[in-house]
C-alpha cells in the first residue's frame, strides 16, 4: 500500500549504502539548499562518499548540489525528467527523489513513509520484449526513452540516447526494481548521428585489445536499430540471488567538486571574450587528484594511458564526466574506461579538445612541443611519457593491422558489408593519427617549455 508523504517527509530522503541507512538528504523548503548528513554509525564505520562530502558533515550546500547534479542525466533527458515531474531542471532534490534508487554507484536515496521508516523492497522484473523496444526505437524521436509504464528509467549521466536495463539468468532484457536494478546500459543512435554505435564499439574493443581497463561492450540490433550493450562496472548480478550488488563510483566532476557544466576545461565556451577562462575540469587537476588516491602511481599511469589513447582515436570529447573512480573505504582508483568515440568521423561535433594538452586545444596542433608542455604542466616525467606514447602507439597499430582486430570483432551475422566498410574507415583514421603521434615521441624529452 502506498503512503502519502507529509510536509516533513517530502523534504527528506534516507541515504543508503546497500541495506544500511547511512544518513539523510534534506532540502530546505524556503531556499531549496541541500544538506547531506551522515548518521553517527556511518561517521564511525563508513567512508565519505565523495572527497567534498567529508564524514564530519562540514560541507557546503554547493558540494551536495554538485555531487547530486552530476549523478543525474544531462541534456534532453534531464529536461524531459524535470518536465515529467513538474519541476525546474535545476531542482536536483526532486529529480533525485524520482530516480534515487538507481543512480550510478552504490548510494541510493529512498523515500520515507508516514511513520519515518523505510520499507524493504522485494525483487521485481519487468520484461522488455524485443518487439516493444523496437517499436519504441522506431518512434523515439517523438516518444523518447525516458518513461516506461509511467515511470522514469534513465538515471545515468550523459547526453546520448540510453536506457538502463537489467538482464536476468535467461538473458532477458527488462527493468529491475526492488532489490534488483540496472546491470547494463543500452546505447542508441540519433538520426543526425549515424554509425555512432559502430564507432564506439570499435574504439571500446580496441582499448580492451591494447590492454587498457575498459568497460565490456557488445554490438547487436533491435529491429533495424544498432545497439551498444555496455556492462555496468558498478553493478554485479549474482545469478539466482534476486539481488544486484553495487559498487560505489564517482565521476571526475564529483571528484573535483565541479558542477556538471564545468566538465569542459573552457567551462564558459569558446566565445571571444571568455575562451581564455579555464575553470573547468582539466588534465592538470585530474593528475593532481591522482596524488590523493590509494594508489597514486597506478592512477597516474591510468590517466596518462587514457589521455594518450583518446588522442590516438581522435576522441576530442574526453571531458571530466567521461572518467570515473571507484571510491570506498579501502579503495580509490579509476574505473574501466567508457564513452570512447572517434569524434573526427563526425563533422557535426566540435573538433576541439575537451581538456588542453598544455595550452593547446586544437587536435591538429598537438606536436612534440605540446606533449612536453603537457608533461611539465601535469608533473609527468618526460621519459615516462615517451615510453608510454611509444608502447601504446605500437599496440594500437599492431591490433588494427597484424592482429586483425576488425575481423575478430565482426565475426558474426550482426554486421553488414556497409558496417565493415565504415569500421575500416574508423580504423584507418586511428592508424593515421597514431602513426603521427608516435613520430613525435623521440623529441619530447629534448624540449624544455
Amino acid at each position: 500500500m502506498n503512503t502519502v508523504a507529509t510536509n516533513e517527509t517530502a523534504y527528506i530522503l534516507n541515504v543508503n549504502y546497500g541495506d544500511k541507512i547511512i544518513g539523510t538528504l534534506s532540502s530546505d523548503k524556503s531556499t531549496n539548499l541541500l544538506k547531506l548528513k551522515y548518521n553517527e554509525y556511518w561517521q564511525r564505520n563508513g567512508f565519505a562518499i565523495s572527497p567534498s562530502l567529508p564524514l564530519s558533515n562540514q560541507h557546503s550546500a554547493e558540494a551536495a548540489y554538485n555531487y547530486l547534479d552530476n549523478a543525474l542525466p544531462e541534456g534532453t533527458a534531464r529536461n524531459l525528467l524535470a518536465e515529467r515531474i513538474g519541476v525546474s531542471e535545476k531542482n536536483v532534490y526532486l529529480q533525485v527523489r524520482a530516480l534515487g534508487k538507481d543512480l550510478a554507484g552504490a548510494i541510493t536515496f529512498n523515500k520515507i513513509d508516514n511513520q519515518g521508516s523505510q520499507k524493504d523492497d522485494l525483487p521485481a522484473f519487468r520484461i522488455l520484449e524485443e518487439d516493444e523496444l523496437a517499436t519504441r526505437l522506431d518512434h523515439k524521436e517523438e516518444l523518447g526513452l525516458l518513461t516506461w509504464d509511467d515511470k522514469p528509467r534513465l538515471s545515468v549521466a550523459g547526453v546520448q540516447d540510453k536506457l538502463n536495463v537489467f538482464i536476468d539468468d535467461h538473458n532477458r532484457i527488462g527493468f529491475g526494481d526492488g532489490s534488483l536494478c540496472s546491470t547494463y546500459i543500452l546505447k542508441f543512435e540519433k538520426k543526425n548521428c549515424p554509425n555512432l554505435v559502430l564507432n564506439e564499439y570499435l574504439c571500446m574493443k580496441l582499448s580492451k585489445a591494447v590492454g587498457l581497463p575498459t568497460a565490456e561492450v557488445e554490438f547487436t540490433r533491435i529491429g533495424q536499430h544498432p545497439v551498444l550493450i555496455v556492462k555496468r562496472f558498478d553493478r554485479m548480478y549474482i545469478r539466482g540471488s534476486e539481488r544486484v550488488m553495487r559498487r560505489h563510483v564517482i565521476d571526475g566532476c564529483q571528484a573535483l567538486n565541479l558542477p556538471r557544466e564545468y566538465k569542459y576545461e573552457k567551462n564558459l565556451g569558446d566565445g571571444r571574450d571568455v575562451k581564455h577562462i579555464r575553470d573547468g575540469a582539466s588534465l592538470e587537476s585530474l593528475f593532481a587528484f591522482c596524488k590523493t588516491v590509494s594508489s597514486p602511481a597506478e592512477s597516474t599511469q591510468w590517466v596518462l594511458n587514457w589521455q594518450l589513447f583518446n588522442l590516438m582515436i581522435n576522441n576530442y570529447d574526453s571531458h571530466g564526466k567521461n572518467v570515473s573512480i571507484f571510491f570506498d573505504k579501502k579503495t580509490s582508483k579509476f574505473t574501466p574506461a567508457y564513452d570512447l568515440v572517434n569524434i573526427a568521423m563526425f563533422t557535426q561535433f566540435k573538433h576541439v579538445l575537451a581538456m588542453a594538452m598544455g595550452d593547446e586545444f586544437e587536435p591538429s596542433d598537438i606536436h612534440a612541443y605540446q606533449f612536453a608542455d603537457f608533461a611539465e604542466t601535469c608533473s609527468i616525467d618526460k621519459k615516462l611519457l615517451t615510453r608510454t606514447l611509444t608502447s601504446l602507439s605500437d599496440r594500437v597499430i599492431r591490433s588494427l593491422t597484424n592482429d586483425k582486430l576488425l575481423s575478430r570483432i565482426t565475426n558474426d551475422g550482426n554486421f553488414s558489408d556497409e558496417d565493415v566498410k565504415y569500421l575500416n574507415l574508423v580504423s584507418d583514421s586511428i592508424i593515421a593519427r597514431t602513426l603521427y603521434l608516435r613520430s613525435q615521441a623521440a623529441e619530447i624529452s629534448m624540449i624544455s617549455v
Side-chain angles (χ1 to χ4, degrees):
M1 179 178 177
N2 293 329
T3 56
V4 178
T6 66
N7 284 345
E8 297 304 319
T9 61
Y11 290 92
I12 189 167
L13 298 170
N14 278 336
V15 182
N16 278 55
Y17 180 75
D19 295 331
K20 295 183 176 65
I21 297 176
I22 68 170
T24 55
L25 173 68
S26 57
S27 174
D28 186 283
K29 287 186 283 187
S30 58
T31 65
N32 287 330
L33 293 177
L34 300 176
K35 177 66 177 179
L36 192 147
K37 183 178 181 181
Y38 303 109
N39 57 33
E40 291 183 4
Y41 166 82
W42 194 251
Q43 286 180 300
R44 291 194 306 269
N45 301 285
F47 59 91
I49 62 175
S50 178
S52 58
L53 298 172
L55 287 173
S56 65
N57 288 324
Q58 299 301 309
H59 64 264
S60 64
E62 176 189 37
Y65 179 90
N66 287 344
Y67 173 81
L68 294 163
D69 188 42
N70 278 296
L72 291 165
E74 299 176 80
T76 303
R78 181 70 169 268
N79 295 330
L80 289 172
L81 171 63
E83 181 181 323
R84 183 191 178 280
I85 60 179
V87 300
S88 164
E89 189 261 354
K90 289 289 185 181
N91 193 321
V92 164
Y93 173 79
L94 289 178
Q95 292 172 68
V96 169
R97 198 170 187 270
L99 288 176
K101 290 187 178 183
D102 197 14
L103 299 176
I107 305 301
T108 59
F109 298 86
N110 299 278
K111 299 172 187 176
I112 302 172
D113 69 16
N114 292 342
Q115 287 73 44
S117 64
Q118 175 183 290
K119 298 184 182 301
D120 292 330
D121 289 319
L122 296 175
F125 179 48
R126 191 279 210 197
I127 296 174
L128 180 56
E129 300 290 355
E130 184 171 338
D131 288 348
E132 180 185 6
L133 179 54
T135 300
R136 177 69 74 95
L137 291 172
D138 288 341
H139 303 283
K140 71 181 175 67
E141 306 298 331
E142 310 97 75
L143 301 177
L145 295 171
L146 175 70
T147 304
W148 298 77
D149 305 325
D150 201 35
K151 181 176 181 177
R153 288 292 180 180
L154 180 62
S155 58
V156 287
V159 297
Q160 189 175 346
D161 285 340
K162 304 174 186 175
L163 190 62
N164 290 2
V165 296
F166 173 77
I167 297 181
D168 73 356
D169 291 334
H170 307 287
N171 292 319
R172 295 177 299 183
I173 294 174
F175 300 119
D177 288 306
S179 61
L180 300 176
C181 60
S182 62
T183 51
Y184 289 81
I185 300 167
L186 306 184
K187 302 180 75 172
F188 313 103
E189 295 177 350
K190 293 186 176 181
K191 286 183 178 179
N192 66 344
C193 207
N195 294 316
L196 179 59
V197 165
L198 280 171
N199 188 309
E200 185 172 352
Y201 175 70
L202 173 57
C203 292
M204 293 288 285
K205 287 295 190 181
L206 176 61
S207 177
K208 190 85 169 178
V210 299
L212 302 183
T214 311
E216 296 180 24
V217 298
E218 294 300 335
F219 177 88
T220 191
R221 293 186 189 279
I222 295 178
Q224 62 179 336
H225 304 278
V227 180
L228 190 72
I229 305 175
V230 185
K231 186 176 182 180
R232 296 188 64 159
F233 46 71
D234 61 338
R235 301 282 191 266
M236 179 178 290
Y237 172 54
I238 309 300
R239 289 188 174 272
S241 69
E242 295 191 316
R243 179 172 292 274
V244 174
M245 308 299 291
R246 308 177 189 224
R247 187 171 183 184
H248 188 48
V249 297
I250 56 175
D251 68 28
C253 284
Q254 290 170 319
L256 301 173
N257 192 23
L258 293 172
R260 62 185 163 99
E261 295 89 351
Y262 283 50
K263 66 183 183 179
Y264 293 105
E265 187 169 350
K266 288 185 178 181
N267 53 292
L268 296 180
D270 293 317
R272 185 174 180 180
D273 60 332
V274 296
K275 64 181 181 179
H276 62 287
I277 297 174
R278 294 163 58 175
D279 292 334
S282 67
L283 290 169
E284 185 177 4
S285 60
L286 282 179
F287 278 106
F289 175 76
C290 289
K291 298 176 182 177
T292 71
V293 302
S294 55
S295 302
E298 177 186 341
S299 294
T300 297
Q301 186 68 63
W302 190 100
V303 177
L304 181 58
N305 285 333
W306 176 76
Q307 175 60 11
L308 295 180
F309 185 77
N310 279 318
L311 291 176
M312 292 173 195
I313 66 168
N314 301 302
N315 185 20
Y316 312 140
D317 199 40
S318 52
H319 54 68
K321 291 184 67 62
N322 276 350
V323 59
S324 291
I325 301 99
F326 290 123
F327 200 79
D328 56 35
K329 190 170 186 177
K330 296 180 180 179
T331 306
S332 51
K333 69 174 188 176
F334 286 85
T335 71
Y338 54 93
D339 289 357
L340 303 174
V341 177
N342 184 335
I343 296 294
M345 304 295 293
F346 301 97
T347 57
Q348 60 269 51
F349 295 148
K350 292 174 64 174
H351 288 188
V352 295
L353 299 179
M355 297 186 284
M357 288 289 287
D359 275 328
E360 188 56 66
F361 286 90
E362 293 295 330
S364 60
D365 290 334
I366 303 300
H367 313 297
Y369 180 90
Q370 285 69 36
F371 277 113
D373 191 9
F374 156 72
E376 294 190 15
T377 300
C378 298
S379 301
I380 303 297
D381 180 80
K382 290 178 184 175
K383 291 183 179 178
L384 171 65
L385 173 56
T386 299
R387 289 195 306 271
T388 304
L389 176 57
T390 302
S391 173
L392 186 56
S393 296
D394 288 344
R395 299 202 305 273
V396 166
I397 294 165
R398 185 169 59 248
S399 292
L400 292 174
T401 53
N402 298 342
D403 292 349
K404 302 188 185 330
L405 174 66
L406 272 179
S407 298
R408 295 203 310 272
I409 67 173
T410 58
N411 191 26
D412 63 41
N414 281 326
F415 298 91
S416 67
D417 291 342
E418 286 300 310
D419 292 338
V420 175
K421 181 179 179 180
Y422 176 80
L423 289 170
N424 273 288
L425 291 175
V426 178
S427 175
D428 291 344
S429 167
I430 294 172
I431 290 172
R433 185 60 179 158
T434 303
L435 284 170
Y436 178 77
L437 294 174
R438 191 194 188 287
S439 73
Q440 303 301 297
E443 297 181 35
I444 294 172
S445 60
M446 298 183 286
I447 298 174
S448 180
V449 179

